[in-house]
Amino acid sequence: MKFINKRLSLVLLMLTGLTLTAQSKREKIDGVIGVVGDYVILDSDIDLEYIALKANGVDVKQISRCELFGKQLEEKLYAHQAIQDSIIVTDTEVESFMNEQIDVMVERVGSIDKVIAYYNKKNEEEFRNYFFEIIKTNKLTSAMQKKIVDEVEITPEEVRNFFKEIPEDEIPVFGAEVEVAQIVVKPVVSEEAKQATIAKLREIRREVLDGASFFTKAVLFSEDPGSSSNGGYYKMNRKTPFVKEFKEVAFSLAEGEISEPFETEFGYHIIMVDKIRGQEVELRHILITPKVSNEAVKAAKEKIEGIRTKIVNGEISFADAAKSSSDEKETRNNGGVLLNPRTMESRFELSKMDPSLYGQISALKEGEVSQPIMDQEQGKSKFYKIITVNNKTEEHKAEFSKDYMKIKDLALRDKQIKTIAKWTDEKIKETYIKIDKDYQNCDFTNNWIKK
């Protein structure tokens, strides 16, 4: 696929993530190797880039200083143009994201002092000022990239022409794919089990109010694998991806307050708020899931066996059975069809499928229904499911009508790359750019020297 790969090399311009590169306003500083508009690039920025790449496990032996310098020139061009186009990145947005990133760093290395030392800063204030500017620049860069790409659209005729232009020996090969559907039956939790769980949480709450340690209680009793060993601790803001019910309770509490037991899809919780810092809440919680009786598990298995029998005997279609009987709300209205989390489409490429799901469907023929399978999502109760393969496509060379959506994605990306390349070339001509003499012999992808 040389034809496509040659163009995809530029897609990095669109997908650039956060990188640790310093910036400041234009001024005469020793070590300045490049200027783009109001942004400068220091020679030491390249060193920091290498450090950041190594920290993320990247082999930097084959990455030259010229390549990293070219990448930083691109980022600064985007950020500079974002300001010219009045794209706004608020300090609050930057501050919030920065705090999240610093928390991750501290968790990895053990303390803020180690983070400060790693980046060779004098104190936390200097590090935060430095990191703030990095994040703001990168957010401006991302916003500018998104603006350019979002304006690109593609017509069916353009897709057709794109496919026609691919040389015969470079037409892409798409891997074997399947569409999978499932029906889920969950054991019914008795009211007695629910009340027993609520009573246990109320007992814990009362003991903490009487002086017991919430941390210790969470370690002993919480069934949340993500936080129990850390005393149930979480830090969150309103954008943190927690379930709605959990967030509503967390943000309704005052510092030191402990909630009454409440229910989410994971079970029952109590929350204690440790600290409130602006839009962020530091809290501890305890999760206990009501216990399912053996009788309920047996009943769930019998129910799903009955559903399978009706499908196999032709009394009902798999899709209709899913709509009428599945306990999985995310899929039942769609006939039980699973969505690929990578593409949000209904097809799964076998080579990239989750190993556990692949193991469950690999032996199934198209239209065949599996025997009942006991499964469990992390932090939730066990359940039974049956699976079918709606259709299966073998590995094949791309066909326009059969693979139109995939070809459309390739064509759109190709057009986006061309648009970005054109935009970059035009903005380089319009923008003040200066390259230090030590880097003027670099073989840049873009015309930074303006020859």
Side-chain angles (χ1 to χ4, degrees):
M1 289 177 57
K2 297 176 184 176
F3 174 83
I4 295 175
N5 289 336
K6 183 164 58 178
R7 290 179 175 176
L8 289 185
S9 63
L10 288 174
V11 80
L12 292 174
L13 295 177
M14 298 184 296
L15 303 178
T16 303
L18 278 176
T19 54
L20 297 176
T21 58
Q23 65 97 19
S24 63
K25 295 298 180 181
R26 188 196 306 168
E27 51 188 280
K28 183 65 177 176
I29 304 175
D30 289 340
V32 173
I33 58 174
V35 179
V36 180
D38 288 330
Y39 290 89
V40 301
I41 302 171
L42 307 178
D43 205 24
S44 59
D45 293 341
I46 309 298
D47 299 323
L48 288 171
E49 187 84 49
Y50 275 119
I51 291 172
L53 290 171
K54 288 178 182 177
N56 285 288
V58 178
D59 184 359
V60 299
K61 293 178 182 177
Q62 303 301 318
I63 302 177
S64 69
R65 295 184 73 84
C66 284
E67 288 177 289
L68 293 183
F69 183 38
K71 178 172 175 288
Q72 292 189 25
L73 287 167
E74 292 165 3
E75 292 172 355
K76 299 302 183 287
L77 181 66
Y78 283 120
H80 171 76
Q81 192 58 45
I83 294 174
Q84 308 310 305
D85 288 2
S86 300
I87 292 176
I88 303 297
V89 174
T90 67
D91 288 355
T92 301
E93 178 186 353
V94 174
E95 189 83 27
S96 175
F97 187 81
M98 179 179 71
N99 290 334
E100 291 176 12
Q101 296 302 303
I102 291 176
D103 287 343
V104 172
M105 292 180 189
V106 170
E107 187 175 337
R108 284 181 179 175
V109 302
S111 71
I112 186 64
D113 291 337
K114 289 182 179 179
V115 174
I116 294 167
Y118 184 81
Y119 289 103
N120 197 29
K121 300 301 175 184
K122 296 177 183 177
N123 50 47
E124 185 172 350
E125 181 181 3
E126 184 181 64
F127 172 71
R128 283 182 173 274
N129 290 337
Y130 155 77
F131 200 29
F132 183 94
E133 294 302 325
I134 294 171
I135 292 173
K136 188 162 188 176
T137 299
N138 278 279
K139 282 192 171 293
L140 286 168
T141 295
S142 298
M144 190 68 245
Q145 291 171 335
K146 185 176 185 300
K147 180 181 177 182
I148 300 167
V149 171
D150 284 352
E151 293 174 353
V152 179
E153 296 179 347
I154 195 159
T155 65
E157 186 61 27
E158 287 176 308
V159 177
R160 185 180 298 277
N161 290 336
F162 168 82
F163 188 66
K164 286 181 178 179
E165 290 175 8
I166 303 176
E168 180 65 29
D169 62 344
E170 294 180 16
I171 293 176
V173 174
F174 295 131
E177 294 182 321
V178 293
E179 182 180 281
V180 180
Q182 68 180 24
I183 296 173
V184 170
V185 173
K186 300 177 180 179
V188 177
V189 179
S190 68
E191 189 60 32
E192 291 78 9
K194 292 180 181 180
Q195 291 304 317
T197 300
I198 293 171
K200 179 62 179 177
L201 286 168
R202 282 178 175 160
E203 178 187 352
I204 293 171
R205 181 179 185 274
R206 184 170 59 253
E207 290 174 352
V208 173
L209 290 173
D210 288 340
S213 166
F214 196 103
F215 180 101
T216 302
K217 294 292 184 181
V219 171
L220 292 174
F221 298 108
S222 182
E223 297 173 10
D224 176 16
S227 71
S228 59
S229 63
N230 195 28
Y233 176 82
Y234 281 118
K235 179 187 285 188
M236 60 183 290
N237 58 44
R238 294 188 182 276
K239 294 183 180 180
T240 307
F242 281 66
V243 292
K244 178 184 176 183
E245 299 88 347
F246 192 95
K247 291 170 78 170
E248 286 177 349
V249 174
F251 287 101
S252 71
L253 299 172
E255 283 191 6
E257 190 176 359
I258 305 175
S259 74
E260 292 288 344
F262 65 96
E263 185 179 12
T264 72
E265 63 189 76
F266 297 96
Y268 288 87
H269 313 249
I270 56 173
I271 291 176
M272 183 180 75
V273 170
D274 278 349
K275 295 178 183 177
I276 299 175
R277 296 182 176 179
Q279 298 300 311
E280 288 189 332
V281 173
E282 294 184 32
L283 58 82
R284 297 187 185 277
H285 90 119
I286 295 172
L287 164 68
I288 300 179
T289 303
K291 301 303 176 281
V292 176
S293 68
N294 292 333
E295 291 77 13
V297 173
K298 182 180 178 182
K301 185 176 182 182
E302 290 175 351
K303 180 179 177 181
I304 205 162
E305 285 174 339
I307 294 170
R308 181 182 185 276
T309 298
K310 288 182 178 180
I311 296 170
V312 172
N313 290 341
E315 298 175 41
I316 190 172
S317 70
F318 195 100
D320 287 342
K323 291 175 183 178
S324 63
S325 304
S326 182
D327 291 331
E328 187 173 57
K329 62 182 180 181
E330 294 85 359
T331 62
R332 64 185 175 211
N333 293 329
N334 194 31
V337 174
L338 299 177
L339 291 182
N340 186 334
R342 296 186 182 186
T343 64
M344 297 312 294
E345 296 179 353
S346 63
R347 304 194 67 79
F348 291 79
E349 190 170 339
L350 288 178
S351 62
K352 298 177 181 177
M353 181 179 277
D354 177 82
S356 61
L357 181 58
Y358 176 78
Q360 293 166 355
I361 63 95
S362 58
L364 292 178
K365 298 177 182 177
E366 191 172 309
E368 186 178 1
V369 182
S370 73
Q371 293 293 330
I373 301 167
M374 179 176 275
D375 207 341
Q376 183 176 19
E377 294 181 55
Q378 187 175 18
K380 296 186 180 181
S381 298
K382 294 179 180 179
F383 58 87
Y384 280 98
K385 67 181 180 181
I386 52 175
I387 298 178
T388 190
V389 174
N390 285 341
N391 53 67
K392 183 181 291 187
T393 305
E394 300 302 327
E395 181 177 279
H396 62 284
K397 184 180 275 191
E399 300 175 27
F400 186 77
S401 59
K402 188 176 184 179
D403 302 298
Y404 177 79
M405 293 306 297
K406 286 187 176 62
I407 295 167
K408 179 183 177 182
D409 289 341
L410 290 175
L412 177 60
R413 182 173 294 186
D414 182 71
K415 187 174 181 180
Q416 289 171 337
I417 291 167
K418 289 177 178 177
T419 301
I420 285 178
K422 181 180 178 182
W423 180 94
T424 303
D425 186 57
E426 291 173 353
K427 297 307 175 185
I428 285 175
K429 293 175 182 177
E430 299 172 4
T431 306
Y432 174 80
I433 295 171
K434 185 175 181 180
I435 306 296
D436 184 80
K437 57 182 176 60
D438 291 339
Y439 284 86
Q440 290 190 5
N441 290 326
C442 287
D443 185 18
F444 294 119
T445 301
N446 297 304
N447 185 26
W448 298 109
I449 310 296
K450 298 187 180 183
K451 294 178 180 177

